[in-house]
Amino acid sequence: MTITSRIDGITKIDAAHSGVFISAPRSVKVELTANCNYRCGFCVKSLRADTGDMDRAMYSRLLREMRDAGVEELGVFYIGESFTCRWLPEAIAEAKEVGFPYVFLTTNGAVATPERVRACMEAGLDSLKFSINFTDAEQLADVAQVSGRMWRRAIDNLKAARNVRNVGGYSCGIYASSIAFDGEQGEKMRAVVEEIRPFVDEHYWLPLFNMNGASRASGMVPTQGNPGRLGNMRDPLPCWAVATEGHITHDGLLAACCFGDGLDGGLIMADLKEVGFMEGWNSEKFQALRRAHFAKDVRGTACESCAAA
């Protein structure tokens, strides 16, 4: 199965998730660490720089609860950069031991060194995707507020990941995505994509997301909500993120959004340190938010600035 077909399967709200009290999501993303080596202006990280790793015991508990509930796909990342987490390979190995058929990971690539990638593939990682969203070192330094040298490092790490897979005979898919900019910026981005395309199994384009207000706050003009990937865009309401995919922060909070918990925490639906996964997934707060989404009226909710903007 291609990565785009998996994405399309998650962004499509099926009958089992068309309501307020629903089945477990097929996919959940877990933030192993809130640490990130970038500070991108279009990311919620630029507005709230929390740090720290998830508690290992809580991770182990949540893995088992989610798998027992029927979750099939586990993303070992959320907002933070998971390659900054020392126990990333162990997290992947435990997820496979628990029985998750598909464990996936997205990275900005700058610290995804061949050694770290090899350890993750040996642990059983099924999918590794590089987010390649900068056209050159200068743009990375300006937007992500880091050394421009990291731009070439990310590109080189992506290429090296292909070699790691080939030499080791691993079955992990290697993918990349990029934001589809307009004009000169778009032309430069397409040139970068042509450089990396021979090293990935599939590349796909994304719109500029609102990121729960972060993109707009940085002066960019984003799309409404999260319509998924270009080529198979979804309507902003109801947003698939409240129905088909779970999102857990490093401190055990269940968020209703793939972009974070909201600038004021308004998208936190449950504290999974206090309740089980399925209790949080169908909490009264989550049900109320889903009711608003399926009515296509999110005025007065934490989603208003994103989905209805």
Side-chain angles (χ1 to χ4, degrees):
M1 183 182 294
T2 64
I3 191 172
T4 49
S5 63
R6 287 187 180 275
I7 291 169
D8 294 346
I10 296 300
T11 62
K12 179 181 179 180
I13 302 176
D14 59 11
H17 299 93
S18 297
V20 297
F21 193 96
I22 57 177
S23 301
R26 198 176 85 195
S27 174
V28 176
K29 293 176 181 175
V30 177
E31 187 178 50
L32 301 183
T33 181
N35 300 324
C36 188
N37 52 328
Y38 286 5
R39 288 292 180 269
C40 302
F42 55 79
C43 178
V44 71
K45 272 290 182 185
S46 66
L47 305 176
R48 189 187 61 256
D50 50 345
T51 59
D53 290 354
M54 175 172 276
D55 177 75
R56 293 285 296 272
M58 181 171 64
Y59 175 75
S60 294
R61 173 179 68 83
L62 289 173
L63 281 184
R64 287 154 178 81
E65 289 183 4
M66 292 187 293
R67 188 66 189 121
D68 288 345
V71 177
E72 300 175 357
E73 301 183 4
L74 182 77
V76 284
F77 73 101
Y78 182 24
I79 305 300
E81 170 53 56
S82 288
F83 273 103
T84 67
C85 178
R86 289 179 295 177
W87 51 281
L88 172 60
E90 290 84 353
I92 295 167
E94 185 174 2
K96 297 304 290 186
E97 290 168 4
V98 168
F100 282 91
Y102 187 75
V103 178
F104 63 105
L105 172 59
T106 291
T107 176
N108 62 41
V111 289
T113 63
E115 295 76 20
R116 293 284 282 161
V117 167
R118 184 178 298 107
C120 290
M121 289 185 180
E122 287 179 351
L125 185 66
D126 296 291
S127 168
L128 175 61
K129 191 199 79 171
F130 290 77
S131 289
I132 304 296
N133 294 318
F134 301 99
T135 59
D136 50 42
E138 291 73 24
Q139 185 188 49
L140 174 66
D142 179 53
V143 176
Q145 303 173 49
V146 295
S147 169
R149 291 192 298 272
M150 288 190 178
W151 180 79
R152 176 48 59 182
R153 193 174 301 162
I155 300 293
D156 290 344
N157 283 341
L158 182 154
K159 294 177 178 179
R162 181 61 175 260
N163 184 62
V164 167
R165 186 183 71 178
N166 290 351
V167 171
Y170 304 112
S171 59
C172 181
I174 300 175
Y175 309 103
S177 67
S178 307
I179 295 173
F181 296 103
D182 295 327
E184 181 182 358
Q185 174 75 0
E187 293 177 7
K188 291 180 178 179
M189 194 73 253
R190 285 189 289 274
V192 174
V193 169
E194 287 308 304
E195 177 183 351
I196 65 171
R197 196 181 294 276
F199 299 89
V200 298
D201 301 313
E202 190 176 5
H203 172 275
Y204 61 95
W205 294 98
L206 296 170
L208 176 60
F209 298 126
N210 195 359
M211 295 282 195
N212 254 318
S215 293
R216 195 173 298 279
S218 70
M220 300 178 181
V221 181
T223 60
Q224 283 182 271
N226 182 346
R229 67 178 183 89
L230 290 181
N232 196 10
M233 302 271 278
R234 307 299 188 185
D235 292 337
L237 291 172
C239 180
W240 58 270
V242 304
T244 61
E245 186 173 74
H247 304 90
I248 303 175
T249 68
H250 75 290
D251 48 357
L253 303 178
L254 181 63
C257 183
C258 50
F259 299 140
D261 57 9
L263 303 185
D264 58 357
L267 285 163
I268 295 300
M269 300 291 105
D271 185 345
L272 299 182
K273 297 186 296 295
E274 304 295 332
V275 301
F277 176 76
M278 284 306 296
E279 184 178 349
W281 180 245
N282 282 312
S283 66
E284 290 185 5
K285 188 173 182 180
F286 224 150
Q287 291 184 59
L289 184 61
R290 290 183 189 124
R291 190 172 293 110
H293 271 261
F294 281 100
K296 298 188 176 183
D297 184 0
V298 294
R299 289 174 297 178
T301 74
C303 297
E304 181 175 3
S305 64
C306 178

